[in-house]
Amino acid sequence: MVAMSVSDRAGLPRVLSLAQPTADSLHLGNFLGALRQWVPLQDDHDAFYGVADLHALTVEAEPAVRVDRSLRSAAQMLAAGVDPQRSTVFLQSHVPEHTQLMWVLATMTGFGQASRMTQFKDKSARFGADATNVGLFTYPVLMAADILLYQADRVPVGEDQRQHLELTRDLAVRFNGRHGTTFVVPEPHILPSVGRIADLADPSAKMSKTSSSPSGIVELLDEPKVNIKKIRSAVTDSEREIEFDEERKPGVANLLTILSALTGTSVEVLVKELAGRGYGDLKGAVADAVTAFATPYRERTLELMGERTELQAILADGADRARAVASATVAEVYRKIGLVQPRI
Ligand code: AMP
């Protein structure tokens, strides 16, 4: 296929997805659940991929750490295969229209509906009301703005974002109903097989930057030997057979899911190939597959981090392209809801 440049992309369906820079590295769940889908979608979509640095403000961090994490996240997107010649890669904070649209959408979101968001309920229950900021509560509304600004047709995300996508769709339909067709109503692009990669140490929980213990999370920029050790210590069960049963054997099912996603071999074939072997063999195969993919990924990310001027130039160019789309959406929204235009 001949690569298309950004200027040739008009008319293609739009895709948008962001990832938060809330840790020093993206983890295996981010990669398999979201980032890996981003790469092939570039072939036949006008893609917008961003670093959600405004969402990340809901989690405390030193300013210098934030800068490093944001650039690392962008570098990891490129290392995973996002091509800035074809896709628009940007930092959310470089496009002020995200917060402008968020405010409008916030005034259309019922307090009851926002209160039902399970991610907020889980996090606020875990941290307590005093340690929970209002930004965390309004996070799904900012996410709706992220998506609707770009008139995205599809949003490749993990299963944990399904409810937020539903809110986004509701808001788009509500706005269109009140003010005439304005927003594309986006479809989630969630792959059931990899939509929820589990924590290695607690397979009943999802792998998460903010809640997994260090032993439960595969940080892609860690030294390969660190991740090999974690995979070899992954929690399984007291049985011996390698079978895919998410209810009875969630740890083994998670390892099979990871291995299948990284090798492209179906779970059924893997189960046959591993028949009669032990959990140690399965863990060894997963460790090899993760190392084979993460080693060049890590090297490329570190290389890109050493080319900061080029990296920032890619992001500045991405911000210009993102703003061209986002500012047109906000202008239309402002006009339709009755905000006076600055010039006649
Ligand atoms: P975040 O930066 O936390 O919003 O995550 C970035 C992307 O990774 C989102 O699309 C999430 O839905 C996805 N994601 C996060 N954790 C997991 C997981 N454990 N399994 C699959 N996808 C995930």
Side-chain angles (χ1 to χ4, degrees):
M1 176 186 217
V2 179
M4 283 190 279
S5 71
V6 166
S7 55
D8 304 324
R9 315 228 119 216
L12 290 178
R14 285 254 168 83
V15 70
L16 171 124
S17 199
L18 307 185
Q20 291 188 83
T22 39
D24 293 336
S25 169
L26 296 180
H27 61 69
L28 193 57
N30 299 136
F31 178 74
L32 294 178
L35 208 54
R36 212 168 69 142
Q37 274 64 261
W38 297 9
V39 177
L41 285 167
Q42 302 177 110
D43 292 341
D44 45 12
H45 287 75
D46 183 18
F48 288 77
Y49 296 134
V51 176
D53 54 351
L54 297 177
H55 285 283
L57 295 175
T58 58
V59 176
E60 272 184 40
E62 289 299 321
V65 171
R66 288 194 195 284
V67 171
D68 185 63
R69 287 178 170 177
S70 291
L71 295 174
R72 268 170 187 256
S73 296
Q76 288 178 87
M77 291 173 187
L78 303 178
V82 170
D83 172 7
Q85 296 295 324
R86 293 188 289 156
S87 298
T88 298
V89 184
F90 64 101
L91 297 185
Q92 188 187 22
S93 64
H94 287 180
V95 184
E97 286 80 2
H98 287 254
T99 43
Q100 289 180 293
L101 182 59
M102 180 210 163
W103 180 251
V104 175
L105 297 177
T107 64
M108 300 179 61
T109 307
F111 185 78
Q113 187 173 21
S115 307
R116 286 192 291 276
M117 295 293 121
T118 52
Q119 204 167 74
F120 173 75
K121 286 203 286 189
D122 291 349
K123 287 190 179 174
S124 55
R126 194 151 15 97
F127 303 133
D130 287 345
T132 302
N133 57 64
V134 173
L136 202 60
F137 183 69
T138 52
Y139 181 111
V141 186
L142 180 56
M143 179 167 157
D146 300 336
I147 296 165
L148 299 181
L149 262 187
Y150 298 97
Q151 309 289 1
D153 298 282
R154 305 175 79 185
V155 186
V157 284
E159 188 60 49
D160 58 346
Q161 298 303 324
R162 190 181 286 281
Q163 193 188 28
H164 294 163
L165 242 315
E166 260 324 300
L167 173 70
T168 305
R169 289 167 56 85
D170 280 358
L171 287 169
V173 169
R174 198 171 301 155
F175 191 99
N176 290 348
R178 277 190 208 166
H179 302 289
T181 303
T182 308
F183 294 123
V184 169
V185 182
E187 295 289 338
H189 177 81
I190 301 174
L191 298 189
S193 54
V194 285
R196 185 184 174 282
I197 299 297
D199 183 310
L200 294 182
D202 174 8
S204 67
K206 70 164 186 173
M207 190 178 284
S208 157
K209 279 177 275 204
T210 43
S211 57
S212 285
S213 68
S215 58
I217 185 167
V218 173
E219 304 227 49
L220 298 174
L221 297 183
D222 270 347
E223 296 262 0
K225 63 174 191 270
V226 174
N227 284 327
I228 291 171
K229 194 161 171 229
K230 289 182 188 180
I231 294 163
R232 288 208 165 276
S233 315
V235 168
T236 48
D237 51 67
S238 56
E239 298 179 14
R240 297 175 59 85
E241 297 74 37
I242 298 175
E243 289 166 348
F244 188 84
D245 185 332
E246 286 175 302
E247 295 284 308
R248 259 182 51 245
K249 297 162 88 74
V252 170
N254 192 41
L255 291 171
L256 284 167
T257 298
I258 294 170
L259 187 57
S260 168
L262 289 176
T263 58
T265 308
S266 70
V267 166
E268 294 74 39
V269 171
L270 288 174
V271 168
K272 279 196 192 118
E273 283 176 3
L274 289 161
R277 314 263 288 278
Y279 290 170
D281 294 323
L282 172 59
K283 290 177 179 177
V286 173
D288 288 348
V290 169
T291 307
F293 137 72
T295 305
Y297 172 94
R298 178 172 181 271
E299 277 166 14
R300 181 71 190 125
T301 303
L302 297 179
E303 211 174 274
L304 286 160
M305 287 299 287
E307 298 162 0
R308 181 154 167 184
T309 313
E310 286 87 335
L311 185 58
Q312 291 213 218
I314 288 172
L315 294 172
D317 181 47
D320 289 344
R321 278 153 37 189
R323 284 205 77 182
V325 177
S327 60
T329 304
V330 167
E332 186 182 351
V333 166
Y334 275 14
R335 184 174 54 74
K336 285 188 167 166
I337 59 176
L339 296 179
V340 176
Q341 305 295 296
R343 284 182 199 81
I344 298 175

